[in-house]
């Protein structure tokens, strides 16, 4: 066990800011997760995080919770302070007015409205600035924000639950439950982190899901259904609860009468161009991005998984592997379609990470851009 001084190091202060930032998970999209800690004479005198979209940012929350005058103190903040007027006034103004002596920053903000301007304003006001402190750890919590601000399309996480032999259901089509309770709880944590969850119409017809987030202090993602020909039943759970949780149905063969019925239930219908008779996923991502849906958890079936990979919309892959073997040439696999012909045509994954949830193993990868 470390001594008390271990908790009064610059690294400890920034890691505390990172931990605070994560408390905003599920509530700040499409804004970034940000935490701030104010230190004076080796003591934390104020801390805060961005708690909810449209509400004060981490720096202002930390200043508001100071237990004494912050003049002459240091501020540790996970992301470059904003310097523009949005839903909230610039954090740089509050930092300068408070008399902060030094600002230690983790991540650079790629938002063109900020992007170095915030740090320049602080420096020009006589505040000492240190940038890139624990940058990799600070960057890690905002992969969604960095992708969205750069591309204006959602960061897509493809989730797969399968057996050790790669099956997602038995030959009878049964899949509940392949993985254990701990894995399923982690999936719901990911649902909370993402602004949207997407499935195909086949999953709706087979399972009639609700796609809610069942964790402590939940934040339900918007439900997105790829339904090229608008086959969705009017009495399914997703339609019946559309006024409670934002629900979007993407189609490419619109039926005006069906659309009117769905909209009367509170469903939002998104029309895209056709791609081989199906929803064009790239077009759909652009439309979702314009709606400020910055991230999507893809929990579709094999056909939708293959289409998403082929369209190049997936950034991250989560593979939960249960210690079971189903076997069977007719048992379903995670990714459908024809598949690649040559080995070198495979979808390439990188930066593997391994976690364990009960008896299950989670493999995570980034998808290499082609």
């Amino acid at each position: 066990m470390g001594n008390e001084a271990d908790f009064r190091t610059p690294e400890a202060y920034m890691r505390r800011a990172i931990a605070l930032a994560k408390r905003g998970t599920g509530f700040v999209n499409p804004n970034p997760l940000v935490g701030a800690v104010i230190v004076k004479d080796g003591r934390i005198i104020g801390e805060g995080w961005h708690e909810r979209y449209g509400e004060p940012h981490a720096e202002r929350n930390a200043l508001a919770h100071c237990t004494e005058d912050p003049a002459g103190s240091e501020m540790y903040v996970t992301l470059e302070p904003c310097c523009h007027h949005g839903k909230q006034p610039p954090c740089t103004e509050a930092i300068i007015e408070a008399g902060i002596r030094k600002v230690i920053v983790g991540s650079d903000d790629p938002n063109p409205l900020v992007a170095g301007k915030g740090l320049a304003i602080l420096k020009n006001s006589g505040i000492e600035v240190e940038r890139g402190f624990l940058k990799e750890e600070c960057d890690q919590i905002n992969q969604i924000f960095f992708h969205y601000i750069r591309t204006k399309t959602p960061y897509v996480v493809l989730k797969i639950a399968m057996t050790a032999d790669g099956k997602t259901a038995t030959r009878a089509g049964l899949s509940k439950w392949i993985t254990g309770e701990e894995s399923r709880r982690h999936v719901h944590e990911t649902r909370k982190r993402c602004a949207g969850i997407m499935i195909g119409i086949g999953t709706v017809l087979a399972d009639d899901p609700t796609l809610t987030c069942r964790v402590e202090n939940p934040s339900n993602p918007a439900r997105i259904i790829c339904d090229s020909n608008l086959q969705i039943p009017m009495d399914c759970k997703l339609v019946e609860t559309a006024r409670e949780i934002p629900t979007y149905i993407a189609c490419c063969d619109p039926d005006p009468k069906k659309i009117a019925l769905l909209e009367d239930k509170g469903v939002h219908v998104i029309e895209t161009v056709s791609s081989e008779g199906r929803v064009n996923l790239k077009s759909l991502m652009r439309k979702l991005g314009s709606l400020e849906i910055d991230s999507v958890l893809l929990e579709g079936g094999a056909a939708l998984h293959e289409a998403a990979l082929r369209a190049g919309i997936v950034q991250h892959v989560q593979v939960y592997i249960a210690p079971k073997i189903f076997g069977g040439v007719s048992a379903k696999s995670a990714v459908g379609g024809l598949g690649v012909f040559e080995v070198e045509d495979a979808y390439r994954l990188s930066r593997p990470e391994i976690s364990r949830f009960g008896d299950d193993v989670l493999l995570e990868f980034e998808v290499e851009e082609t």
Side-chain angles (χ1 to χ4, degrees):
M1 181 179 293
N3 58 44
E4 187 176 345
D6 294 335
F7 300 98
R8 296 201 300 266
T9 65
E11 290 80 8
Y13 296 140
M14 185 61 85
R15 290 193 176 110
R16 173 61 180 167
I18 291 171
L20 290 168
K22 291 178 180 178
R23 295 186 183 182
T25 298
F27 301 104
V28 303
N29 309 63
N31 280 355
L33 297 169
V34 186
V37 170
I38 299 172
V39 178
K40 189 172 186 179
D41 299 328
R43 295 172 292 106
I44 294 178
I45 64 167
E47 56 183 33
W49 67 96
H50 184 28
E51 298 177 12
R52 193 172 291 272
Y53 180 68
E55 294 183 2
H57 293 176
E59 298 92 325
R60 288 183 177 270
N61 276 333
L63 289 167
H65 290 93
C66 277
T67 56
E68 59 185 86
D69 185 356
S73 62
E74 299 177 342
M75 175 181 284
Y76 291 79
V77 59
T78 56
L79 183 71
E80 178 180 0
C82 68
C83 57
H84 64 288
H85 284 270
K87 291 186 179 294
Q88 294 291 325
C91 289
T92 49
E93 287 184 0
I95 293 170
I96 294 166
E97 291 170 1
I100 299 293
R101 178 182 67 82
K102 181 178 181 179
V103 176
I104 300 95
V105 175
S107 299
D108 296 326
D109 192 334
N111 186 340
L113 295 173
V114 184
K117 299 182 181 71
L119 298 183
I121 288 172
L122 295 177
K123 288 180 181 178
N124 291 338
S125 298
I127 296 174
E128 183 182 351
V129 172
E130 181 178 348
R131 67 191 298 181
F133 188 74
L134 296 189
K135 176 177 168 55
E136 187 173 342
E137 293 179 43
C138 291
D139 286 352
Q140 186 65 31
I141 64 174
N142 275 314
Q143 288 179 308
I144 288 173
F145 173 72
F146 293 151
H147 172 85
Y148 178 70
I149 206 71
R150 188 179 76 248
T151 67
K152 296 302 180 185
T153 61
Y155 182 89
V156 178
V157 179
L158 169 58
K159 186 225 91 178
I160 296 167
M162 67 184 194
T163 60
D165 59 334
K167 302 300 182 180
T168 59
T170 68
R171 62 188 176 91
L174 304 176
S175 60
K176 291 186 178 180
W177 294 101
I178 289 177
T179 54
E181 185 177 341
E182 290 185 37
S183 290
R184 298 198 297 273
R185 188 181 305 116
H186 187 257
V187 170
H188 282 271
E189 292 289 350
T190 306
R191 285 187 180 186
K192 179 177 179 178
R193 181 163 60 95
C194 292
I197 180 171
M198 187 165 79
I199 60 172
I201 184 60
T203 302
V204 177
L205 297 175
D207 300 335
D208 192 19
T210 57
L211 303 182
T212 53
C213 175
R214 295 184 290 278
V215 295
E216 185 178 350
N217 193 22
S219 173
N220 285 318
R223 289 94 59 94
I224 304 149
I225 302 95
C226 289
D227 183 10
S228 302
N229 303 309
L230 281 185
Q231 302 174 63
I232 193 163
M234 294 300 300
D235 61 351
C236 73
K237 293 174 183 174
L238 294 173
V239 172
E240 291 294 339
T241 58
R243 294 197 185 280
E244 301 168 23
I245 304 171
T247 303
Y248 299 86
I249 297 180
C251 67
C252 58
D253 185 17
D255 175 349
K257 291 183 179 179
K258 184 73 174 280
I259 289 176
L261 290 172
L262 289 168
E263 290 180 341
D264 189 56
K265 288 273 197 176
V267 175
H268 306 280
V269 178
I270 300 175
E271 298 178 35
T272 77
V273 295
S274 173
S275 177
E276 300 177 356
R278 297 181 180 275
V279 168
N280 185 298
L281 293 177
K282 284 191 173 181
S283 172
L284 176 58
M285 291 304 110
R286 290 192 293 269
K287 290 176 182 287
L288 293 176
S290 70
L291 294 169
E292 295 191 331
I293 294 176
D294 66 358
S295 48
V296 169
L297 175 61
L298 177 55
E299 291 196 42
L304 184 55
H305 290 171
E306 189 275 336
L309 288 166
R310 183 156 39 88
I313 67 166
V314 180
Q315 282 71 51
H316 191 85
V317 175
Q318 293 181 329
V319 184
Y320 296 86
I321 302 175
K324 302 172 183 176
I325 291 178
F326 285 169
V329 293
S330 62
K332 292 181 180 180
S333 298
V335 180
L338 291 176
V340 301
F341 189 77
E342 300 284 353
V343 172
E344 55 265 30
D345 294 334
Y347 303 103
R348 305 294 298 183
L349 308 177
S350 62
R351 300 180 63 186
E353 294 186 7
I354 304 174
S355 307
R356 183 170 172 174
F357 294 95
D359 292 332
D360 302 330
V361 174
L362 170 61
L363 304 180
E364 296 189 77
F365 308 90
E366 298 299 316
V367 180
E368 292 185 0
E369 295 184 8
T370 56

